[in-house]
Amino acid sequence: MACRRVLLLVPLCLLLLTPHQTSALSSCGGPCKTLNDCSGQLICIGGKCNDGPEVGTHICGGGGGGGGGGGGGCPPSQPLVCGSKSHPTYSCSPPVTSATRAILTNNDFSEGGDGGGASSCDGKFHSNSERIVALSTGWFSGGSRCNKLIRITAANGRSTMAKVVDECDSLHGCDAEDAFQPPCKNNIVDGSNAVWNALGLNIDDGEVPVTWTMA
């Protein structure tokens, strides 16, 4: 059940839930495994409920899992329906700063991997031992950041350089070209195994808050 927030920031849907259902929803900083574990417009980042970057909420004030980029004046475009689920799409991303907040995800850039087709910057597949990334559509900027280096910094203080080789498509998805995955959020840095390893992060975490800037 989707929650709508009313005045006093009380999730309206909580009034309609049974005691068992209510206890299953986590608020800011609460434990979670999926998006459905978090109340209202909160999302699950790093195992904790936090503000939703795609809608620019500030309910948690940056607490919980460390944030994930914020809306940055980037409203969603026409939603994309994949089967029975509707996903927001974006033609823009939050502004790039000296420490742009983002969500690091993991991508297999090799042939047959979960990245789908060859990298759009060079039309080639890449080894996961390379420190490479795909950026959300807005940050990819029509390919203007192709083959450029960015610096990614994790919350543990470790940082690494990585080369931009592809777009994490925030407008399209659910087809063979996108490995039947939904559109990317507008604040994604999709890194290879080598990027995760260089940052000392556990790939099994799936999504981790980071910051990045142009090198």
mmCIF file of all heavy atoms in Angstrom, residues 150-168:
data_model
loop_
_atom_site.group_PDB
_atom_site.id
_atom_site.type_symbol
_atom_site.label_atom_id
_atom_site.label_comp_id
_atom_site.label_asym_id
_atom_site.label_seq_id
_atom_site.Cartn_x
_atom_site.Cartn_y
_atom_site.Cartn_z
ATOM 1 N N ILE A 150 36.320 10.056 -13.304
ATOM 2 C CA ILE A 150 35.668 10.657 -12.143
ATOM 3 C C ILE A 150 36.315 10.073 -10.891
ATOM 4 O O ILE A 150 36.911 8.996 -10.933
ATOM 5 C CB ILE A 150 34.149 10.404 -12.121
ATOM 6 C CG1 ILE A 150 33.841 8.910 -11.943
ATOM 7 C CG2 ILE A 150 33.503 10.928 -13.401
ATOM 8 C CD1 ILE A 150 32.368 8.611 -11.707
ATOM 9 N N ARG A 151 36.220 10.812 -9.789
ATOM 10 C CA ARG A 151 36.709 10.311 -8.505
ATOM 11 C C ARG A 151 35.508 9.984 -7.634
ATOM 12 O O ARG A 151 34.627 10.828 -7.424
ATOM 13 C CB ARG A 151 37.604 11.329 -7.803
ATOM 14 C CG ARG A 151 38.085 10.856 -6.423
ATOM 15 C CD ARG A 151 39.061 11.819 -5.782
ATOM 16 N NE ARG A 151 40.317 11.860 -6.512
ATOM 17 C CZ ARG A 151 41.282 10.949 -6.382
ATOM 18 N NH1 ARG A 151 41.115 9.918 -5.555
ATOM 19 N NH2 ARG A 151 42.397 11.066 -7.063
ATOM 20 N N ILE A 152 35.474 8.762 -7.133
ATOM 21 C CA ILE A 152 34.377 8.290 -6.292
ATOM 22 C C ILE A 152 34.890 8.107 -4.876
ATOM 23 O O ILE A 152 35.976 7.532 -4.668
ATOM 24 C CB ILE A 152 33.823 6.946 -6.818
ATOM 25 C CG1 ILE A 152 33.465 7.055 -8.300
ATOM 26 C CG2 ILE A 152 32.617 6.501 -5.999
ATOM 27 C CD1 ILE A 152 33.234 5.712 -8.962
ATOM 28 N N THR A 153 34.144 8.597 -3.909
ATOM 29 C CA THR A 153 34.543 8.485 -2.503
ATOM 30 C C THR A 153 33.437 7.816 -1.706
ATOM 31 O O THR A 153 32.267 8.198 -1.794
ATOM 32 C CB THR A 153 34.846 9.866 -1.903
ATOM 33 O OG1 THR A 153 35.861 10.512 -2.684
ATOM 34 C CG2 THR A 153 35.326 9.741 -0.463
ATOM 35 N N ALA A 154 33.812 6.804 -0.941
ATOM 36 C CA ALA A 154 32.854 6.081 -0.107
ATOM 37 C C ALA A 154 32.821 6.667 1.297
ATOM 38 O O ALA A 154 33.706 7.440 1.688
ATOM 39 C CB ALA A 154 33.231 4.599 -0.053
ATOM 40 N N ALA A 155 31.820 6.272 2.069
ATOM 41 C CA ALA A 155 31.663 6.776 3.426
ATOM 42 C C ALA A 155 32.800 6.326 4.334
ATOM 43 O O ALA A 155 33.050 6.945 5.377
ATOM 44 C CB ALA A 155 30.322 6.325 4.002
ATOM 45 N N ASN A 156 33.497 5.252 3.937
ATOM 46 C CA ASN A 156 34.609 4.769 4.748
ATOM 47 C C ASN A 156 35.886 5.586 4.524
ATOM 48 O O ASN A 156 36.936 5.288 5.099
ATOM 49 C CB ASN A 156 34.882 3.285 4.475
ATOM 50 C CG ASN A 156 35.244 3.015 3.010
ATOM 51 O OD1 ASN A 156 35.552 3.921 2.245
ATOM 52 N ND2 ASN A 156 35.176 1.750 2.613
ATOM 53 N N GLY A 157 35.803 6.611 3.659
ATOM 54 C CA GLY A 157 36.944 7.481 3.413
ATOM 55 C C GLY A 157 37.804 7.068 2.235
ATOM 56 O O GLY A 157 38.664 7.838 1.792
ATOM 57 N N ARG A 158 37.592 5.880 1.706
ATOM 58 C CA ARG A 158 38.390 5.419 0.580
ATOM 59 C C ARG A 158 37.845 6.011 -0.721
ATOM 60 O O ARG A 158 36.645 6.230 -0.868
ATOM 61 C CB ARG A 158 38.399 3.890 0.510
ATOM 62 C CG ARG A 158 39.083 3.259 1.701
ATOM 63 C CD ARG A 158 39.118 1.752 1.642
ATOM 64 N NE ARG A 158 39.911 1.241 0.531
ATOM 65 C CZ ARG A 158 40.255 -0.036 0.400
ATOM 66 N NH1 ARG A 158 39.898 -0.917 1.329
ATOM 67 N NH2 ARG A 158 40.978 -0.436 -0.630
ATOM 68 N N SER A 159 38.731 6.263 -1.665
ATOM 69 C CA SER A 159 38.309 6.812 -2.951
ATOM 70 C C SER A 159 39.066 6.129 -4.077
ATOM 71 O O SER A 159 40.122 5.506 -3.851
ATOM 72 C CB SER A 159 38.538 8.331 -3.006
ATOM 73 O OG SER A 159 39.924 8.633 -2.942
ATOM 74 N N THR A 160 38.535 6.246 -5.288
ATOM 75 C CA THR A 160 39.176 5.655 -6.455
ATOM 76 C C THR A 160 38.792 6.440 -7.697
ATOM 77 O O THR A 160 37.763 7.130 -7.714
ATOM 78 C CB THR A 160 38.772 4.175 -6.629
ATOM 79 O OG1 THR A 160 39.553 3.583 -7.671
ATOM 80 C CG2 THR A 160 37.299 4.051 -7.001
ATOM 81 N N MET A 161 39.615 6.336 -8.710
ATOM 82 C CA MET A 161 39.310 6.928 -10.007
ATOM 83 C C MET A 161 38.659 5.862 -10.872
ATOM 84 O O MET A 161 38.996 4.681 -10.788
ATOM 85 C CB MET A 161 40.584 7.424 -10.666
ATOM 86 C CG MET A 161 41.397 8.373 -9.807
ATOM 87 S SD MET A 161 40.736 10.037 -9.808
ATOM 88 C CE MET A 161 41.419 10.663 -11.319
ATOM 89 N N ALA A 162 37.720 6.273 -11.712
ATOM 90 C CA ALA A 162 37.071 5.338 -12.624
ATOM 91 C C ALA A 162 36.737 6.058 -13.934
ATOM 92 O O ALA A 162 36.507 7.270 -13.939
ATOM 93 C CB ALA A 162 35.804 4.765 -12.001
ATOM 94 N N LYS A 163 36.742 5.297 -15.016
ATOM 95 C CA LYS A 163 36.463 5.870 -16.326
ATOM 96 C C LYS A 163 34.999 5.652 -16.708
ATOM 97 O O LYS A 163 34.456 4.572 -16.521
ATOM 98 C CB LYS A 163 37.371 5.247 -17.387
ATOM 99 C CG LYS A 163 37.199 5.857 -18.776
ATOM 100 C CD LYS A 163 38.268 5.373 -19.750
ATOM 101 C CE LYS A 163 38.044 3.941 -20.159
ATOM 102 N NZ LYS A 163 38.970 3.515 -21.250
ATOM 103 N N VAL A 164 34.372 6.691 -17.249
ATOM 104 C CA VAL A 164 32.985 6.602 -17.707
ATOM 105 C C VAL A 164 32.958 5.921 -19.078
ATOM 106 O O VAL A 164 33.585 6.404 -20.024
ATOM 107 C CB VAL A 164 32.344 8.005 -17.809
ATOM 108 C CG1 VAL A 164 30.913 7.891 -18.342
ATOM 109 C CG2 VAL A 164 32.366 8.711 -16.461
ATOM 110 N N VAL A 165 32.262 4.789 -19.168
ATOM 111 C CA VAL A 165 32.193 4.066 -20.440
ATOM 112 C C VAL A 165 30.770 3.849 -20.934
ATOM 113 O O VAL A 165 30.577 3.398 -22.059
ATOM 114 C CB VAL A 165 32.903 2.696 -20.345
ATOM 115 C CG1 VAL A 165 34.373 2.862 -20.005
ATOM 116 C CG2 VAL A 165 32.209 1.788 -19.336
ATOM 117 N N ASP A 166 29.784 4.164 -20.099
ATOM 118 C CA ASP A 166 28.411 3.835 -20.505
ATOM 119 C C ASP A 166 27.400 4.711 -19.771
ATOM 120 O O ASP A 166 27.733 5.429 -18.830
ATOM 121 C CB ASP A 166 28.124 2.365 -20.203
ATOM 122 C CG ASP A 166 27.056 1.762 -21.103
ATOM 123 O OD1 ASP A 166 26.482 2.508 -21.936
ATOM 124 O OD2 ASP A 166 26.799 0.560 -20.982
ATOM 125 N N GLU A 167 26.176 4.621 -20.239
ATOM 126 C CA GLU A 167 25.031 5.318 -19.643
ATOM 127 C C GLU A 167 24.184 4.340 -18.861
ATOM 128 O O GLU A 167 23.906 3.235 -19.321
ATOM 129 C CB GLU A 167 24.181 5.956 -20.749
ATOM 130 C CG GLU A 167 22.877 6.565 -20.262
ATOM 131 C CD GLU A 167 22.007 7.080 -21.399
ATOM 132 O OE1 GLU A 167 22.338 6.803 -22.577
ATOM 133 O OE2 GLU A 167 20.996 7.747 -21.120
ATOM 134 N N CYS A 168 23.783 4.731 -17.667
ATOM 135 C CA CYS A 168 22.782 3.989 -16.906
ATOM 136 C C CYS A 168 21.453 4.657 -17.233
ATOM 137 O O CYS A 168 21.107 5.708 -16.678
ATOM 138 C CB CYS A 168 23.094 4.062 -15.411
ATOM 139 S SG CYS A 168 22.171 2.888 -14.406
#
